Amino acid sequence: MSRISIVIPCFNEEDALPVYYHAMCRVMEEMSEEEFELIFVDDGSSDRTLSILKEMNETDQRCRYLSFSRNFGKEAAIYAGLKNAGGDYVATMDVDLQDPPGLLPEMFRILTEEDYDSVATRRSTRAGEPKLRSFLSESFYKFINRISKTEIVNGARDYRLMKRKMVEAVLGMSEYNRFSKGIFEWVGFRTKWLEFQNVGRCAGQTKWSVKKLFTYSLEGITGFSVAPLSLASVVGVVFCMLSFFMILIIIVRTLIWGDPVSGWPSLVCIIFMVSGIQLFCTGIVGEYLSKTYLETKHRPIFILKDSSEEKEGDRHEAASV
Ligand code: UDP
Ligand code: MG
């Protein structure tokens, strides 16, 4: 018998929780030879999520919960769950059934019978997703894979089952600015990818606005590539070379035709453009600087307010840096 922990981040999921639990019960029945623990992480929900989790914990010992003092984000919830998971195999899964629990038996079979350390999932289609969101996501994956050495798989979900040694490696990366899709790839290990068709949410609403996704994608870019930092140097060199040729042209032109005062509109345009590029490059440096600043503060990744364990030591969980 193996022990399987499932980490489930929940943020205002009162509608999805009962449906999810029902679906998971069927899977746990199917895999009745294994021992399960469901670690629900309440990410500072303001609805009935926590009280539902408490009820579930009372009626079913397999359901545990951790509750954050405020909304720390899905990445922090995943980290907290992994940290508290005791299983030989650990899965991370969304509560809205967009990560089909029905895949779990197959994922487990692959890890036990084949030579893999982790089974990850990706969506083969983005059907049902707003067009703008799909376009922005596609562009993000193209861009980040061009500039980062860590491959970020297009359409990858955070739904995966890992062996304990991989979980330990992921926990070893206790950075404050977390981007799991990159972290899972960065730690290495042999991963098998399963594909599935996109499914809609079972209940409730998505918690990710386009703005939140944009900030998240910046997290990915700054976390797994330093290429944007060299943009200033590249643009600088190009502009220097350009100005050198322009100086030559102007000298030759002045010698031949004299120096009539004209061309101030073009001068203003050039000043605007160059200062725009300079500010853009400074902004990029600022992005990295702000991440470094937050990282050096060593703030905890999450703070617990309550948990099914209620251990004192668990209360102020800090990142082990
Ligand atoms: N989630 C979370 N904290 C947040 C936002 C989301 O724990 O700040 C959880 C949410 O409850 C769900 C999962 O992360 O279990 C995925 O969120 P969602 O379904 O809203 O994202 P989408 O599938 O639309 O990308
Ligand atoms: Mg979802």
Side-chain angles (χ1 to χ4, degrees):
M1 181 162 73
S2 306
R3 191 148 181 238
I4 305 175
S5 309
I6 318 272
V7 172
I8 312 125
C10 307
F11 178 47
N12 292 338
E13 299 284 7
E14 58 180 6
D15 297 325
L17 264 173
V19 193
Y20 173 81
Y21 178 63
H22 194 68
M24 259 325 280
C25 280
R26 277 205 305 269
V27 174
M28 289 192 285
E29 244 164 62
E30 196 181 322
M31 300 173 74
S32 55
E33 278 170 22
E34 319 309 330
E35 187 191 338
F36 276 88
E37 66 168 354
L38 306 183
I39 306 173
F40 294 92
V41 187
D42 164 37
D43 185 12
S45 304
S46 52
D47 64 356
R48 289 192 58 249
T49 299
L50 183 56
S51 44
I52 295 175
L53 290 179
K54 284 183 175 168
E55 279 165 29
M56 281 161 65
N57 175 244
E58 260 166 35
T59 53
D60 186 344
Q61 285 299 303
R62 294 171 300 184
C63 298
R64 294 170 53 196
Y65 65 86
L66 305 166
S67 180
F68 286 178
S69 58
R70 65 166 170 85
N71 179 244
F72 279 86
K74 183 184 173 184
E75 291 292 334
I78 290 180
Y79 179 76
L82 291 180
K83 222 169 171 195
N84 284 273
D88 314 310
Y89 298 87
V90 185
T92 47
M93 198 191 280
D94 286 0
V95 74
D96 56 5
L97 296 188
Q98 284 194 296
D99 297 335
L103 282 180
L104 212 57
E106 170 67 1
M107 292 162 89
F108 182 66
R109 189 199 61 74
I110 293 171
L111 285 197
T112 45
E113 291 176 13
E114 295 176 29
D115 186 23
Y116 287 102
D117 303 301
S118 133
V119 181
T121 58
R122 63 183 292 264
R123 292 185 293 182
S124 51
T125 60
R126 289 183 175 273
E129 201 180 63
K131 286 248 161 19
L132 175 69
R133 205 172 141 160
S134 296
F135 171 74
L136 292 176
S137 302
E138 297 281 344
S139 316
F140 163 71
Y141 283 110
K142 269 189 205 141
F143 179 67
I144 194 164
N145 280 320
R146 214 169 246 196
I147 61 170
S148 170
K149 286 195 192 108
T150 310
E151 200 205 342
I152 315 286
V153 177
N154 188 353
R157 303 280 308 171
D158 290 330
Y159 180 26
R160 63 165 73 213
L161 182 66
M162 292 168 276
K163 283 187 180 164
R164 165 90 353 225
K165 56 185 170 184
M166 181 162 172
V167 176
E168 295 300 332
V170 170
L171 287 174
M173 296 182 69
S174 52
E175 54 215 66
Y176 181 77
N177 300 288
R178 301 187 72 76
F179 183 70
S180 283
K181 287 180 179 50
I183 291 176
F184 288 142
E185 288 308 309
W186 195 91
V187 294
F189 295 98
R190 263 173 72 79
T191 299
K192 180 160 185 168
W193 286 89
L194 296 183
E195 288 201 354
F196 66 88
Q197 296 271 325
N198 192 28
V199 262
R201 241 179 183 276
C202 64
Q205 297 233 314
T206 176
K207 312 293 179 301
W208 294 84
S209 58
V210 169
K211 187 174 159 222
K212 227 172 153 183
L213 279 174
F214 180 71
T215 318
Y216 184 61
S217 61
L218 281 186
E219 206 80 78
I221 293 168
T222 51
F224 287 90
S225 172
V226 286
L229 278 177
S230 24
L231 183 71
S233 328
V234 175
V235 176
V237 170
V238 171
F239 271 63
C240 279
M241 279 161 42
L242 212 66
S243 65
F244 180 72
F245 285 115
M246 278 157 72
I247 289 168
L248 279 183
I249 292 169
I250 286 167
I251 291 175
V252 172
R253 204 183 63 177
T254 314
L255 286 176
I256 299 173
W257 288 291
D259 185 20
V261 180
S262 67
W264 73 268
S266 52
L267 197 66
V268 170
C269 290
I270 291 167
I271 290 173
F272 263 71
M273 189 183 80
V274 175
S275 42
I277 292 171
Q278 279 176 343
L279 281 179
F280 180 63
C281 292
T282 315
I284 291 177
V285 178
E287 272 304 315
Y288 282 88
L289 185 67
S290 68
K291 300 283 178 218
T292 317
Y293 173 62
L294 288 174
E295 233 30 273
T296 53
K297 286 188 174 200
H298 297 313
R299 283 185 179 167
I301 296 172
F302 62 91
I303 294 173
L304 289 185
K305 138 187 112 175
D306 194 0
S307 81
S308 48
E309 258 66 359
E310 277 287 70
K311 276 192 234 123
E312 256 324 290
D314 260 6
R315 290 227 156 202
H316 293 282
E317 183 59 87
S320 52
V321 270

